[in-house]
């Protein structure tokens, strides 16, 4: 049975997930931005999201994790990586695979798996 506190924590995580999705929509709505990959997972104790976009011939990878700290406050961790091309981005993601939550999902997305770089 879920307690009132647990329900409050879960609601806060879902609101955080909605905030991350909203942020992603704002980023991808800008002129010259091409969204390439987005994934979000909501767990009982955290929200994880990752996204990949292209802006002015630069690849940008974003990783978001929202979770509760020991004092019960929500903590949002954001990481952003820039790369000039797919190969450079693959290298960055492989180096960070231990510290990021879903590099495998991004590395296996259709855009990064495709042979053609479409200008990158």
């Amino acid at each position: 049975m879920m307690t009132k506190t647990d329900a409050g924590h879960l609601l806060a995580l879902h609101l955080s997930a909605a905030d991350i999705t909203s942020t992603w929509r704002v980023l991808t709505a800008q002129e010259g931005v091409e969204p390439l990959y987005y994934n979000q997972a909501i767990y009982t104790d955290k929200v994880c999201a990752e996204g990949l976009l292209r802006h002015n011939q630069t690849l940008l990878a974003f990783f978001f994790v929202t979770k509760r700290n020991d004092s019960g406050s929500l903590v949002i961790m954001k990481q952003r990586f820039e790369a000039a091309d797919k190969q450079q981005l693959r290298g960055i993601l492989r180096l960070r695979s231990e510290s990021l939550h879903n590099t495998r999902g991004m590395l296996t997305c259709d855009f990064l798996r495709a042979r053609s770089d479409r200008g990158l």
Side-chain angles (χ1 to χ4, degrees), residues 48-60:
C48 299
E50 64 273 359
L52 176 63
L53 58 85
R54 181 184 1 226
H55 181 255
N56 295 333
Q57 301 303 315
T58 301
L59 295 174
L60 299 166

Side-chain angles (χ1 to χ4, degrees), residues 40-81:
Q40 185 177 68
I42 302 172
Y43 304 99
T44 57
D45 61 339
K46 65 183 174 181
V47 174
C48 299
E50 64 273 359
L52 176 63
L53 58 85
R54 181 184 1 226
H55 181 255
N56 295 333
Q57 301 303 315
T58 301
L59 295 174
L60 299 166
F62 295 89
F63 291 85
F64 303 94
V65 176
T66 302
K67 62 182 179 178
R68 293 216 166 268
N69 63 13
D70 293 337
S71 65
S73 301
L74 278 182
V75 177
I76 300 172
M77 295 171 280
K78 301 174 189 175
Q79 291 188 301
R80 175 180 170 231
F81 303 100

